[in-house]
């Protein structure tokens, strides 16, 4: 079981521990600065979730590539891409608001979460129905979704994925991010087991069905935990400084953040849907698994950004110091990871099959470069959310969306799958060129002594 004690409780125990003689073990993210502790504690929990999900997720696609035909993998991944895009219309776009306002909502936290769950589920259900009504326009990879049973099942899975995505944002906002890897580990393990079990019974739809059925194993128990345990504890811990947002404040924030997040959603989830509609099922399998690998690395930067937004909302005075600390830590983590991903791209893809390595090695290398650029971009986006400066955020995300979609449509017919990678890197470079100087001015305002560290001092291990 992950530690979910609050910062106050952790701080209260530290003096007692410090009186004990001898050397003691200091865990990552538990340095002397309270802000730094919680910043890295939540960020590392989310990164742990990314690591576990990466191992089990890539294991899922490795098993799929071995037990299913390339065409079946392409159709299943196309349906998953559509599911993520449709669910993300609310789930991805509302997680920033949850991270921003849950920390200060007090007794309004439970109703805020419940309204978000219900409203977003209704919206994505309608969006999924519209998608199914226009299915013939989306290409051959989606043909297996025809029929009433398949259609209703697809809508149910989209709604469930919406809740699963929102749940991660809720846990982060409640400063209980260590529960995120618990739920996602269960989900990933169950879907992997179901994938093998369905290989012979439903060889065409088994990839998607196994993914959909596994979602309930995470959202049901963690949903109970959120409403029965974590929300009441959060209310008690924050009631003395809670300031629930007004409808006007929520509307102003969402006007910028939701609009910007829609643009971000298009970059992450609409591009795979467009590519699935324009290439063969086999090529879509090569693209989707490659973008899954690259996207997993991107999540490390997004995780740190989410934690930075939460901590910036809790303690605005430490935002500059926490931003500098986040950038330093991400540089140490991402540079070696992206370097290895670039150098070992052929070997990584060869594990899935010769076709993957032959078709997608350049694409994976482009994604490795893009992951480094995303560190700067996601950190700046987190700062803007913490400061509720969502109009500027929306403009940058809108520009990124236009660049990525436009260049992808332009380069895909000319360069094949590699064109999608070139389109992403070129677009990210433009956004980073705009964001980097502004981010530098933010971190420059932080005195060096205020920057949180998780390195152990002399005498600690």
């Amino acid at each position: 079981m992950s530690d979910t004690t609050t910062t106050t409780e952790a701080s209260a125990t530290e003096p007692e521990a410090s009186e004990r003689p001898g050397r003691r073990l200091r865990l990552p993210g538990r340095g002397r600065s309270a802000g730094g502790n919680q910043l890295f504690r939540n960020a590392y929990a989310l990164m742990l979730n990314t690591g576990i999900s990466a191992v089990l997720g890539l294991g899922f696609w490795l098993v799929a590539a071995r037990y299913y035909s390339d065409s079946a993998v392409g159709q299943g991944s196309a349906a998953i891409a559509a599911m993520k895009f449709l669910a993300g219309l609310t789930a991805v776009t509302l997680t920033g608001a949850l991270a921003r306002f849950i920390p200060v909502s007090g007794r309004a936290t439970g109703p805020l979460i419940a309204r978000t769950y219900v409203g977003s589920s209704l919206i994505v259900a309608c969006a999924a129905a519209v998608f199914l009504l226009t299915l013939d326009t989306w290409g051959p990879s989606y043909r297996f979704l025809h029929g009433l049973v398949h259609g209703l099942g697809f809508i149910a899975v989209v709604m469930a994925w919406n809740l699963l995505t929102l749940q991660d944002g809720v846990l982060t906002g409640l400063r209980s991010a260590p529960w995120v890897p618990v739920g996602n580990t269960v989900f990933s393990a169950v879907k992997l087991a179901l994938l093998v079990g369905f290989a012979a019974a439903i060889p065409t739809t088994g990839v998607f069905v196994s993914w959909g059925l596994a979602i309930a194993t995470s959202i049901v128990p963690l949903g109970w935990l959120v409403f029965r345990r974590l929300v009441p504890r959060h209310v008690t811990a924050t009631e003395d400084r809670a300031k629930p947002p007004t409808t006007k404040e929520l509307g102003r924030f969402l006007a910028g953040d939701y609009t910007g997040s829609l643009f971000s959603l298009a970059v992450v989830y609409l591009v795979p849907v467009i590519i699935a509609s324009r290439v063969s099922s086999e090529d879509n399998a090569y693209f989707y698994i490659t973008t899954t690998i690259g996207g997993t690395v991107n999540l490390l930067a997004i995780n740190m950004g989410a934690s930075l937004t939460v901590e910036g909302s809790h303690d605005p005075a430490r935002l500059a110091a926490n931003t500098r600390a986040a950038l330093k830590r991400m540089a140490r983590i991402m540079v070696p990871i992206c370097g290895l991903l670039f150098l070992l791209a052929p070997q990584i893809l060869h594990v899935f099959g010769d076709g993957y390595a032959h078709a997608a090695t350049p694409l994976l290398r482009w994604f490795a470069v893009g992951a480094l650029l995303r560190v700067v971009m996601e950190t700046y986006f987190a700062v803007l959310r913490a400061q509720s400066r969502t109009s500027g955020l929306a403009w940058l995300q809108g520009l990124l969306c236009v660049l990525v979609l436009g260049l992808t449509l332009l380069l895909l017919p000319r360069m094949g799958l590699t064109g999608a990678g070139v389109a992403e890197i070129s677009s990210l470079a433009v956004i980073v060129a705009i964001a980097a100087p502004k981010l530098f001015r933010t971190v420059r305002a932080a005195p060096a002594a205020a920057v949180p560290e998780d390195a152990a001092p002399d005498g600690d291990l």
Side-chain angles (χ1 to χ4, degrees), residues 84-153:
K84 289 183 175 181
F85 171 69
L86 293 168
L89 290 173
T90 58
V92 172
T93 53
L94 291 176
T95 51
L98 292 172
R100 171 64 181 87
F101 291 116
I102 283 178
V104 297
S105 289
R107 295 186 180 278
T109 300
L112 173 65
I113 296 171
R115 289 196 301 269
T116 303
Y117 279 5
V118 174
S120 62
S121 295
L122 293 175
I123 292 172
V124 300
C126 293
V130 172
F131 175 79
L132 292 172
L133 291 174
T134 60
L135 206 57
D136 290 335
T137 65
W138 294 99
S141 294
Y142 294 99
R143 286 176 184 164
F144 77 98
L145 292 177
H146 279 291
L148 180 61
V149 174
H150 288 175
L152 291 176

Side-chain angles (χ1 to χ4, degrees), residues 66-418:
R66 295 287 188 242
Y67 282 81
Y68 295 78
S69 67
D70 288 354
S71 178
V73 173
Q75 291 180 59
S77 61
I80 291 169
M83 171 202 72
K84 289 183 175 181
F85 171 69
L86 293 168
L89 290 173
T90 58
V92 172
T93 53
L94 291 176
T95 51
L98 292 172
R100 171 64 181 87
F101 291 116
I102 283 178
V104 297
S105 289
R107 295 186 180 278
T109 300
L112 173 65
I113 296 171
R115 289 196 301 269
T116 303
Y117 279 5
V118 174
S120 62
S121 295
L122 293 175
I123 292 172
V124 300
C126 293
V130 172
F131 175 79
L132 292 172
L133 291 174
T134 60
L135 206 57
D136 290 335
T137 65
W138 294 99
S141 294
Y142 294 99
R143 286 176 184 164
F144 77 98
L145 292 177
H146 279 291
L148 180 61
V149 174
H150 288 175
L152 291 176
F154 179 75
I155 292 174
V157 172
V158 169
M159 294 173 67
W161 186 259
N162 163 68
L163 294 177
L164 183 66
T165 306
L166 287 173
Q167 181 176 263
D168 290 355
V170 167
L171 290 169
T172 303
L174 291 170
R175 305 178 93 186
S176 296
W179 282 107
V180 175
V182 175
N184 284 344
T185 298
V186 173
F187 161 69
S188 298
V190 172
K191 76 179 180 184
L192 181 58
L194 291 176
L195 179 71
V196 176
F198 290 151
I202 42 177
T204 300
T205 60
V207 173
F208 182 68
V209 172
S210 61
W211 193 293
L213 290 178
I215 296 175
T217 61
S218 177
I219 61 174
V220 173
L222 284 186
W224 180 91
L225 178 70
V226 164
F227 286 103
R228 297 299 298 272
R229 298 286 299 278
L230 299 183
V231 168
R233 191 185 68 182
H234 172 74
V235 170
T236 301
T238 62
E239 59 184 354
D240 59 332
R241 61 180 183 277
K243 188 181 178 182
T246 64
T247 302
K248 184 177 180 180
E249 288 175 325
L250 280 170
R252 187 186 302 116
F253 184 91
L254 288 174
D257 192 58
Y258 184 82
T259 303
S261 295
L262 281 178
F263 291 132
S264 180
L265 172 74
V267 172
V268 177
Y269 294 131
L270 182 56
V271 169
V273 175
I274 291 175
I275 290 177
S277 68
R278 291 174 175 263
V279 301
S280 66
S281 296
E282 290 79 6
D283 280 344
N284 186 59
Y286 304 148
F287 173 81
Y288 193 83
I289 287 181
T290 304
T291 196
T292 298
I293 298 171
T296 299
V297 178
N298 290 339
L299 282 175
L300 297 174
I302 295 172
N303 294 157
M304 182 64 81
S307 183
L308 182 59
T309 296
V310 172
E311 293 310 305
S313 301
H314 270 282
D315 190 358
R318 294 192 56 81
L319 179 60
N322 282 336
T323 300
R324 180 186 290 184
L327 284 171
K328 289 171 62 178
R329 191 55 36 81
M330 288 311 298
R332 297 175 190 172
I333 294 172
M334 294 292 283
V335 169
I337 290 177
C338 292
L340 289 174
L341 188 64
F342 186 93
L343 294 174
L344 301 179
Q347 291 81 2
I348 294 171
L349 290 171
H350 184 73
V351 174
F352 297 91
D354 293 337
Y356 293 86
H358 176 74
T361 291
L363 178 64
L364 184 56
R365 284 177 166 161
W366 281 109
F367 284 160
V369 176
L372 288 175
L373 295 176
R374 279 188 179 273
V375 171
V376 177
M377 185 185 75
E378 294 295 343
T379 303
Y380 183 61
F381 286 179
V383 170
L384 292 179
R385 286 193 180 96
Q387 297 174 333
S388 292
R389 294 163 56 194
T390 53
S391 59
L393 178 63
W395 279 109
L396 287 176
Q397 289 175 313
L399 177 59
L400 179 65
C401 176
V402 170
L403 290 172
V404 171
L405 292 181
L407 290 174
T408 298
L409 292 172
L410 177 67
L411 297 178
L412 186 64
R414 294 167 173 79
M415 301 177 65
L417 298 181
T418 304

Side-chain angles (χ1 to χ4, degrees), residues 439-457:
L439 188 61
F440 175 73
R441 287 196 291 270
T442 297
V443 300
R444 189 175 56 181
V451 178
E453 274 292 346
D454 69 351

